[in-house]
Amino acid sequence: MLRTTHWGFVLLAMLAGWPASAADQWVGCDPVNVATYSSRIHVRCASSVGTGIFYFARATSNAADVQRHLAVLLAAQVAGRPLDVLADLSDTSNLPPGCGAADCRLLKAAAVKE
């Protein structure tokens, strides 16, 4: 169940072109690595989510979208705070470039936890 504090991030996900589906869920992530590549950004979690998912990523095709997500991901990592990440853990059909189906999912939204 989504907490009311995350509705703004669900709206962000919908505005970014990924409507929140019934399979989308918020999962916890302690970020240990945030990286940028020419084709994607990602966050690596300290522990796997679901069945071996360590990475959440998105393509770099929309610069403004990438900047918003990087700001949240880096703020959490630098502050040593956990994240809530919105993703569909069962969907491997729309993975960003370089995001492997075995351990990575599309990052739809992220929120720094208190």
Side-chain angles (χ1 to χ4, degrees):
M1 165 119 339
L2 295 176
R3 294 182 290 239
T4 57
T5 57
H6 295 303
W7 283 112
F9 291 99
V10 172
L11 178 61
L12 172 65
M14 293 186 314
L15 293 175
W18 291 289
S21 71
D24 288 345
Q25 59 183 308
W26 289 97
V27 294
C29 171
D30 290 319
V32 294
N33 174 261
V34 175
T36 64
Y37 299 89
S38 61
S39 60
R40 79 169 191 278
I41 62 168
H42 78 226
V43 60
R44 183 181 192 282
C45 303
S47 302
S48 70
V49 176
T51 56
I53 307 303
F54 282 93
Y55 296 91
F56 295 93
R58 54 186 310 109
T60 57
S61 54
N62 181 322
D65 186 46
V66 167
Q67 290 301 317
R68 284 189 302 272
H69 280 84
L70 275 177
V72 172
L73 300 177
L74 288 171
Q77 185 181 16
V78 169
R81 306 297 292 266
L83 288 166
D84 276 335
V85 175
L86 182 66
D88 180 345
L89 299 181
S90 62
D91 183 12
T92 58
S93 65
N94 190 24
L95 297 178
C99 183
D103 65 354
C104 184
R105 292 297 179 268
L106 176 64
L107 171 66
K108 295 186 177 184
V112 179
K113 290 184 178 182
E114 293 182 29

